[in-house]
Amino acid sequence: MSVFEIGGGRPLEGTVAVHGAKNSVLPVLAATLLARGEVAVDNCPRLTDVDAALDILTHLGCRVKREGDRVIVDPRQVCRWDIPPEKMRAMRSSVIFLGPLLARLGRAELSYPGGCELGPRPIDLHLKAVRALGALVTEEDGALRCTGENLTGGQIRLTLPSVGATENAMLSACGAVGTTTIHNAAREPEIVDLQRFLNAIGGRVEGAGGSVIQVEGGGPLYGGAFSVMGDRMAAATWLCAGAAAGGDVTVTGVDYRHVSTVTAALAEAGCRVSSTPSSVRLRRLPERPLEAIAPVSTAPYPGFPTDAQAPLMGALARSRGTTIFVENMFASRYRHVPELVRMGAHIQVEGRLAVVQGVETLTGARLVAGDLRGGAALVVAALGAKGKSTLTGLEHVDRGYQDMDRVLRTLGADILRRDETELAACAAGKLEEELDGIRTTPQTT
Ligand code: UD1
């Protein structure tokens, strides 16, 4: 178990570059299965979710190696189509391998990704998409068996613009002969990045970024090189941290348009925000408190991202006035709220609503991260709080942020990561000190 020790109240200052986007690199890595040659993926972040994806690729028969920020996948020897339950459980987006396995091998055996971090995360739309191309799917005791030797292009109509289902639809369509049209597709920038990748290895995909995507499938896909887009959620998190602690923070390597709803909210809260096409700068005088803003309602892109809801709440917990959050994407995405309340925040949750009555001061506390972005929210709040906080549950944070503590230290934050051995040594030292105390205290009986 590792722990963050965070000293609050230090303004942040400086420039940080964001790492490659988790939500882009995961489908891209799954998509390497489609290639008939080596694929080099640059700007590949070091995240435990990425490790889990590489582990699945290796299990399936790919040769995988990492050279710094570059990961090279050679999928020519792919020989398996099953992903064991423990590998499925290691990462929630493991279901994204369904489409590429069907397209490449005509079959896939998976289990449900499992868990319930944000409430139920069904995969009915993923299954509907591959069925629309002719795949047969049977479900038995949590195991999914899919066959689709002769996938054929067709019409996929998503009832919700699900990001994962859109990706699975695009990936399976690459192996389906003829034209596939995906209606009501998700429009997230990561979908555009996936299209860019598929076309870079010889695919014929168009329309990503809009609601209708067309894939000409069945043609060969080759090896190639690709660089993953910058992580807009990491960028949003560093900007929220700057807003919470005050200071002058510049984030580079992110398309400013990808975070415009977040920067608009932070500007409304009183921060000065300026952008170039690939960077965003945020300034807030530490003595000037954040102001409450109009209701923040999460929605599919280009709406306010559900992934930024928690970090923004972490900042606005300390503000003047009341801000209402409406979480429309996931049923259970307020797990950070009880922890913020332990710091002195006034927040009430009623179903999908969270009413944040800003307080003047938050106080450091012992905190536990219950999910990835919730963990980020607690770090954001702790940086703006009075006194020291500790945060455990870092396995969630490590899924999506590369070296979070190092990045924040670059900005001058007082944050340290202590790992298990250090903590054990500390605890042993403390015990030794206590024993010394007992040995030197004169016995009075
Ligand atoms: C992706 C992102 C995640 C982000 C989310 C919403 C990745 C790896 N993860 O997750 O960070 O929070 O988009 O922007 O890219 N749904 C169904 N049936 C399905 C699939 C989804 O009902 O078959 C529902 C979900 O329960 C949820 C909504 O659709 O309410 C959106 O989910 P989806 O867009 O699929 O999210 P993910 O792809 O899982």
Side-chain angles (χ1 to χ4, degrees):
M1 187 186 73
S2 299
V3 59
F4 278 162
E5 291 178 353
I6 307 165
R10 256 198 214 176
L12 304 185
E13 206 157 323
T15 300
V16 283
V18 296
H19 53 67
K22 168 177 90 73
N23 290 354
S24 173
V25 75
L26 295 177
V28 163
L29 287 174
T32 61
L33 282 176
L34 300 171
R36 300 297 160 103
E38 238 180 39
V39 180
V41 181
D42 287 317
N43 203 22
C44 183
R46 287 182 186 277
L47 305 170
T48 50
D49 269 11
V50 168
D51 294 339
L54 298 180
D55 184 44
I56 291 175
L57 286 171
T58 306
H59 167 82
L60 296 171
C62 298
R63 285 171 57 188
V64 173
K65 67 177 177 213
R66 190 185 256 283
E67 293 168 357
D69 282 349
R70 165 174 274 206
V71 162
I72 299 165
V73 181
D74 182 347
R76 281 173 289 197
Q77 307 298 325
V78 167
C79 54
R80 303 184 71 124
W81 51 83
D82 67 301
I83 305 180
E86 69 278 8
K87 293 196 194 300
M88 286 297 291
R89 273 195 300 269
M91 169 180 66
R92 244 156 266 281
S93 25
S94 44
V95 70
I96 209 65
F97 283 87
L98 170 64
L101 279 174
L102 274 176
R104 172 79 190 265
L105 301 171
R107 55 200 298 189
E109 282 181 29
L110 320 174
S111 56
Y112 278 88
C116 130
E117 183 186 292
L118 312 173
R121 285 180 97 165
I123 56 166
D124 55 315
L125 300 175
H126 300 241
L127 303 184
K128 195 176 158 207
V130 297
R131 280 181 172 131
L133 305 183
L136 284 174
V137 182
T138 56
E139 303 169 56
E140 217 181 289
D141 297 332
L144 289 170
R145 288 199 176 77
C146 311
T147 49
E149 305 268 311
N150 300 305
L151 295 182
T152 315
Q155 304 293 316
I156 298 177
R157 294 176 205 282
L158 299 175
T159 45
L160 280 170
S162 152
V163 174
T166 301
E167 291 163 349
N168 253 330
M170 290 164 79
L171 295 169
S172 50
C174 285
V177 177
T179 307
T180 295
T181 308
I182 306 164
H183 302 268
N184 198 22
R187 294 188 283 160
E188 267 68 2
E190 291 78 11
I191 304 281
V192 179
D193 223 31
L194 181 60
Q195 169 175 286
R196 215 164 50 81
F197 171 70
L198 291 170
N199 289 340
I201 60 169
R204 284 190 290 162
V205 186
E206 61 179 45
S211 296
V212 180
I213 297 176
Q214 227 165 44
V215 182
E216 290 296 329
L221 297 178
Y222 309 99
F226 178 74
S227 184
V228 174
M229 63 179 269
D231 196 309
R232 62 194 170 105
M233 293 312 156
T237 304
W238 311 144
L239 294 170
C240 288
D248 186 346
V249 170
T250 300
V251 179
T252 63
V254 64
D255 184 327
Y256 77 102
R257 292 167 300 184
H258 295 169
V259 286
S260 63
T261 47
V262 181
T263 50
L266 293 169
E268 191 185 337
C271 301
R272 283 174 63 195
V273 182
S274 52
S275 310
T276 72
S278 62
S279 74
V280 181
R281 179 178 180 192
L282 175 139
R283 280 167 287 177
R284 177 173 82 78
L285 291 175
E287 59 277 12
R288 199 181 142 190
L290 292 173
E291 304 290 339
I293 59 175
V296 178
S297 202
T298 65
Y301 194 83
F304 190 91
T306 170
D307 286 8
Q309 171 259 110
L312 180 64
M313 193 185 293
L316 288 176
R318 206 166 60 91
S319 61
R320 275 204 305 225
T322 300
T323 302
I324 294 172
F325 285 78
V326 190
E327 175 52 63
N328 295 305
M329 303 300 290
F330 292 103
S332 169
R333 208 163 195 182
Y334 286 136
R335 293 176 67 172
H336 47 286
V337 169
E339 300 297 298
L340 291 173
V341 168
R342 287 154 66 88
M343 303 177 84
H346 288 181
I347 306 173
Q348 281 196 320
V349 173
E350 187 91 30
R352 293 187 176 272
L353 289 191
V355 180
V356 179
Q357 281 177 277
V359 295
E360 202 181 320
T361 312
L362 293 177
T363 313
R366 292 169 74 145
L367 306 166
V368 183
D371 61 73
L372 168 60
R373 306 300 170 189
L378 300 177
V379 172
V380 165
L383 291 169
K386 213 178 189 170
K388 193 165 178 169
S389 298
T390 57
L391 179 69
T392 52
L394 299 190
E395 65 279 11
H396 297 295
V397 173
D398 293 340
R399 287 183 34 233
Y401 296 93
Q402 178 177 312
D403 298 332
M404 182 187 250
D405 53 322
R406 191 190 52 74
V407 171
L408 289 168
R409 275 199 304 278
T410 308
L411 297 175
D414 175 10
I415 177 169
L416 266 184
R417 183 182 186 119
R418 294 204 187 275
D419 65 19
E420 207 158 358
T421 42
E422 253 182 292
L423 287 171
C426 273
K430 227 172 167 186
L431 187 65
E432 200 55 37
E433 264 170 40
E434 278 168 20
L435 287 174
D436 279 350
I438 292 168
R439 283 182 205 122
T440 52
T441 309
Q443 303 296 304
T444 49
T445 50

